[in-house]
Amino acid sequence: MLKDKTVLRNTIAVIVGLIIIYTIIQFGLIYNANRLHWDDKIFPEWRHVIKYFSHGEGKRFEVQFFGSMLAISGIAALVGGVITALLVKRAKQAYTMFVGFIVLIVALGDVLITPYHPTWYEIAICPVLFFSSWIGGLIVDLIYKNFLKKHKPSSQSY
């Protein structure tokens, strides 16, 4: 039987992980577009930015923009996975895989709905997001198993 506190804690951990991933990707998008001479001061819809860097004047920056977005998305998923794993009590990798799956579904939706992504980006973004978040959980799980459990005092007295 699951305790209500555990369910609430795990739900909050997943939501916090997703918010962190979203925030890092948004800041990365703004920084990346400004760095590559995006001329609008206010960001319109995401599809306008993608169209500019894949079909407009910014086409010459296509590999730099989408390559940077791929790296930023991977870092965001890794950090979100680490935060999620730190907040859940058990099954750290399972919850980070769940976060990765949610982000994967969102990325697939974005790729299917927005037609201006380069093909290599469409292929690469999904595994990068999923595996980066899973690696974040794996890192935290390994740290907990290898370092924190070894240094925990034993409850048995001899």
Side-chain angles (χ1 to χ4, degrees):
M1 181 175 187
L2 294 173
K3 295 181 181 179
D4 290 336
K5 290 181 183 180
T6 304
V7 172
L8 181 63
R9 179 179 178 167
N10 295 344
T11 304
I12 290 171
V14 168
I15 291 170
V16 167
L18 291 171
I19 289 171
I20 287 173
I21 292 170
Y22 175 78
T23 304
I24 292 172
I25 290 174
Q26 287 302 312
F27 282 125
L29 171 66
I30 292 167
Y31 169 75
N32 194 18
N34 287 336
R35 179 180 63 90
L36 296 173
H37 311 295
W38 172 258
D39 48 358
D40 289 346
K41 296 298 178 202
I42 299 174
F43 257 55
E45 294 179 25
W46 168 237
R47 65 184 168 91
H48 294 301
V49 178
I50 294 173
K51 187 176 182 180
Y52 175 79
F53 284 108
S54 62
H55 291 90
E57 297 172 17
K59 174 77 173 163
R60 64 178 188 245
F61 299 118
E62 178 184 41
V63 173
Q64 292 172 332
F65 177 76
F66 287 104
S68 295
M69 285 310 300
L70 194 64
I72 290 167
S73 298
I75 291 168
L78 181 74
V79 171
V82 166
I83 298 299
T84 301
L86 288 173
L87 294 177
V88 297
K89 194 161 189 158
R90 294 189 181 120
K92 296 177 183 313
Q93 289 182 33
Y95 281 98
T96 57
M97 287 174 64
F98 181 60
V99 167
F101 181 73
I102 292 171
V103 175
L104 172 78
I105 296 299
V106 171
L108 281 175
D110 176 49
V111 165
L112 294 174
I113 292 171
T114 311
Y116 303 114
H117 295 90
T119 304
W120 62 268
Y121 181 81
E122 291 175 350
I123 294 169
I125 190 68
C126 295
V128 164
L129 290 172
F130 181 77
F131 288 117
S132 294
S133 64
W134 174 72
I135 288 170
L138 182 66
I139 289 169
V140 172
D141 200 30
L142 289 174
I143 289 171
Y144 269 83
K145 286 180 181 175
N146 292 333
F147 296 108
L148 297 180
K149 284 193 176 182
K150 286 182 181 178
H151 300 298
K152 228 181 197 183
S154 175
S155 62
Q156 298 175 352
S157 57
Y158 294 101

